[in-house]
Amino acid sequence: MRSERTTFVGGPLDGRVLDVLLGPTGRPPKWYEVPVPDAAGGAPTVHAYRLEAAGTGRLGLPRGWRYVYEPEGRPPRNWPLRRRT
């Protein structure tokens, strides 16, 4: 599988560049979650990063990707809740 060196902004991985595996479309996953173990042996804290374009070219296509820290964490899958009418 291919991987791409991706920059992380904010949170515990601020400023680091890690190899992230690419999906079948050649794009990294939309969310990257990092579990950090608790010092007291409790449940680990999960830090969430959201994918965004690092910059765009002349045609508006992304030149690269970066992950931005989301302090609130990843939103639930059914958010925003859509109601059928």
Side-chain angles (χ1 to χ4, degrees):
M1 293 198 80
R2 288 185 30 200
S3 64
E4 181 176 312
R5 301 206 28 97
T6 309
T7 305
F8 287 78
V9 179
L13 296 179
D14 188 27
R16 293 193 185 182
V17 178
L18 301 176
D19 286 330
V20 176
L21 291 176
L22 302 177
T25 62
R27 180 176 169 173
K30 291 181 183 180
W31 288 91
Y32 193 87
E33 295 179 341
V34 180
V36 177
D38 185 34
T45 303
V46 178
H47 297 281
Y49 288 85
R50 177 182 42 81
L51 183 69
E52 72 175 25
T56 56
R58 289 178 52 192
L59 298 175
L61 299 173
R63 289 186 178 212
W65 302 100
R66 69 179 183 174
Y67 282 103
V68 178
Y69 181 64
E70 289 292 329
E72 292 83 30
R74 187 175 182 171
R77 287 184 159 263
N78 60 355
W79 184 85
L81 186 59
R82 296 182 186 189
R83 295 184 181 197
R84 293 183 184 177
T85 55

